[in-house]
Amino acid sequence: MRTVLLTAALFAFGCALVKVKALPHSLKILCVYIGLTALSELAAFYMARAYSNNMPVFHILSPLLFFALSIYFESVSPTIRKFRLGFWFSVLCVIIAVINTSLIQPITTMNSYYLLLEGLFGCTLALITVYDFLMDEACIFIHRKMHFWITLIVLFHYLTTYIAYLALRLLKVSNTNSGLNFIYTGLWLFSLVNYIAFGIIYLLYNRKWRPHE
């Protein structure tokens, strides 16, 4: 399963690299985010094979991934850019990640507390961005706006992972492993769908779309 996920992440990054010269600044930022995501999947794949524990990868790279995504949202959302929400949310995520790894969930365990809070911040940024798109009177055909679909993909990612990690915490509290495999399979499937969707978005990119971005 990890091999399939890594392949999908590399597919998305490869699709972005193919079009990188023709991309506007915002989509280049997203390309960096996808590249870091592919790197995290590669590192997780290696750590799982070599040390049977890839949790340190997510402790270290998750805040960096969120920072790249926050920069992307600041580049496309006037509201987020005006109040520097992406920057401040990123700072909070780094502080929370350090505290969580140092005092609550060691680096060899899943950083689910941090991921729950990051999911809350991520959903907030995505919803604000969607609101800005809906309020933009110049954007009549919102379905032709690439950033609208990208934001929906990100929102889907955070909502599904948020629910999954919340379910994992509830299972741990109740001291039961029932449904554990189902949750992990769901996480894998949601990530796979997101990577493929990002790849398709970049494959479909055309310079003619620029007026609608």
Side-chain angles (χ1 to χ4, degrees):
M1 293 176 69
R2 178 63 64 181
T3 304
V4 175
L5 206 58
L6 174 60
T7 303
L10 291 174
F11 162 76
F13 186 50
C15 292
L17 286 180
V18 168
K19 298 289 184 72
V20 69
K21 289 185 179 181
L23 297 176
H25 178 67
S26 54
L27 291 181
K28 287 180 179 177
I29 295 173
L30 190 67
C31 181
V32 173
Y33 166 77
I34 295 173
L36 289 172
T37 302
L39 176 63
S40 70
E41 291 293 347
L42 182 60
F45 179 83
Y46 171 77
M47 293 286 288
R49 287 290 184 89
Y51 302 102
S52 300
N53 189 327
N54 57 13
M55 292 299 109
V57 174
F58 303 106
H59 277 263
I60 295 170
L61 291 183
S62 291
L64 186 59
L65 283 166
F66 183 76
F67 177 71
L69 194 61
S70 298
I71 295 176
Y72 164 74
F73 278 126
E74 283 203 358
S75 71
V76 298
S77 168
T79 301
I80 294 173
R81 184 165 55 251
K82 178 180 178 181
F83 296 101
R84 299 299 309 277
L85 293 178
F87 172 78
W88 291 115
F89 281 4
S90 295
V91 171
L92 281 174
C93 276
V94 170
I95 294 172
I96 292 167
V98 171
I99 294 173
N100 185 59
T101 301
S102 302
L103 303 176
I104 304 173
Q105 294 177 309
I107 198 168
T108 55
T109 62
M110 179 175 288
N111 57 337
S112 55
Y113 290 139
Y114 164 80
L115 293 172
L116 284 172
L117 290 170
E118 181 194 303
L120 181 62
F121 291 150
C123 287
T124 300
L125 293 177
L127 288 172
I128 291 173
T129 304
V130 170
Y131 173 81
D132 282 345
F133 291 156
L134 294 175
M135 293 296 102
D136 185 4
E137 296 180 357
C139 184
I140 301 175
F141 304 104
I142 195 170
H143 64 281
R144 298 177 64 182
K145 193 177 184 70
M146 282 190 68
H147 295 302
F148 173 72
W149 293 107
I150 291 170
T151 304
L152 290 185
I153 293 171
V154 173
L155 185 59
F156 172 78
H157 162 71
Y158 274 120
L159 286 176
T160 52
T161 53
Y162 192 90
I163 293 171
Y165 285 125
L166 181 60
L168 286 173
R169 294 307 308 166
L170 291 175
L171 287 179
K172 187 173 182 178
V173 170
S174 60
N175 291 318
T176 177
N177 291 326
S178 177
L180 196 61
N181 289 334
F182 176 77
I183 294 173
Y184 279 120
T185 301
L187 276 171
W188 174 84
L189 182 60
F190 297 145
S191 297
L192 183 65
V193 170
N194 284 327
Y195 293 152
I196 293 174
F198 274 128
I200 292 174
I201 284 286
Y202 277 100
L203 282 178
L204 294 178
Y205 177 79
N206 190 301
R207 287 177 182 270
K208 294 180 180 179
W209 286 30
R210 284 181 180 272
H212 309 288
E213 291 172 350

